[in-house]
Amino acid sequence: PNGDLAGSAFRNGRRPCLPAPSPDCSNINLWNILRNNIGKDLSKVSMPVELNEPLNTLQHMCEELEYTELLDRAADTQDPYERMAIMAAFVISGYSSTYYRAGSKPFNPLLGETYECIREDKGMCFIAEQVSHHPPISACHADSNKFTFWQDVRWKNKFWGKSMEILPIGTVNVTLPSFGDHYEWNKVTTCVHNILSGRRWIEHYGEITIRNTKSSACICKLTFVKGNYWSSNVNEVQGFVMDQEGKVVHRLFGKWHEGLFCGVPPSAKCIWRPGSMPTDYELYYGFTRFAIELNELCPEMQDLLPPTDARFRPDQRYLEEGNVEMAASEKQRIEDLQRARRKWQEENDIRHEPRFFKKVVDANQRERWVTNNTYWELRKSPGFINMENPSLW
Ligand code: PIF
């Protein structure tokens, strides 16, 4: 086989497609839901499962790691300016999978829900946990020989009638031990257009600054240009790598769904381009190949994963299998269970403690969630199957 689909499916044995196409959700009246909840924080409204895709926000954070080969490349790049340009490509690549994803939203994980992802092919291990329910906060951490990646994500929603803005709060971090670098950056605003009618589409806009907190040799500024549906600058990204004196060393331009170039056209060099989409992706939630693989539950993993892993969440699994009725009733049942747990904890004055992440206060007095480094140790010994685990569903 010479198609890269067949090649990678063979090489790592991962599934090449979802078990069922996305269900038809044209009967969902989003307008009614939104009208009945005007002025309310939408994260406190239980949404019909038909609006969801069979991935949750923890798995979404993992999707930002589809192009870790860029981090590997950065870790092997001597020149700090070039290294920063590759970091910029990595930052932008994290948005590429959202291009075909305006149709649905991820599952909101239950408090204490986890997700692990081991990618031998990428040399990476990822772990995430939902550390807060209201407001929803997801924390994650990924290790590799070449880099460490972590972030915690919180959103604010702004509903504008025709569109909805998602304003992320938080900092993304990457360290490259080979150079002692610690990169930090913010995320841009995401806007879902035509929420109520017409063809939904996603836009990202705003500025990102990438800093290396361990060296002031250079910084990178990126602008995700706010366009409109008709203009050609849709999804455009522009930016530059600047040295200590403020002199531009590299110019960057491209589109977050198409690729990033460094230099000045026509001699600019392409630093990153997204992979091809799988066949019939429109029928399958617009998932990339990487996204398709995220919720796969291989038999040999069953006994190794904690029972809180998203792969065991029944409503999400039913939706993935195309069984919307069961997905809907299970979502309701699981949410009720969570409400009962919350009530019990409140009555007994118990505060929820995340299992694999701890809260720290950073240099800017902001609360951050970072790994407590217990997940992989416990997985190895005694093994989650030999431990007491929270039962979420
Ligand atoms: C439920 O989550 P939903 C609600 O939080 C509900 O309040 C809670 O009950 P409780 C339930 O336990 C939850 O399951 C609502 C909300 C969740 C996110 C963040 O899954 C992701 O039913 C946002 O959904 C990314 O959804 C959006 O928040 C990307 O999942 C597009 O706010 C939203 C999203 C708004 C949907 C607009 C549709 C666009 C396609 O009693 O415990 O409070």
Side-chain angles (χ1 to χ4, degrees), residues 295-310:
N295 199 45
E296 182 177 18
L297 180 55
C298 333
E300 57 276 19
M301 285 169 72
Q302 300 244 13
D303 293 341
L304 298 172
L305 295 170
T308 51
D309 194 279

Side-chain angles (χ1 to χ4, degrees), residues 66 182 216 285 310 360:
E66 177 165 358
H182 179 172
S216 52
Y285 305 93
V360 296

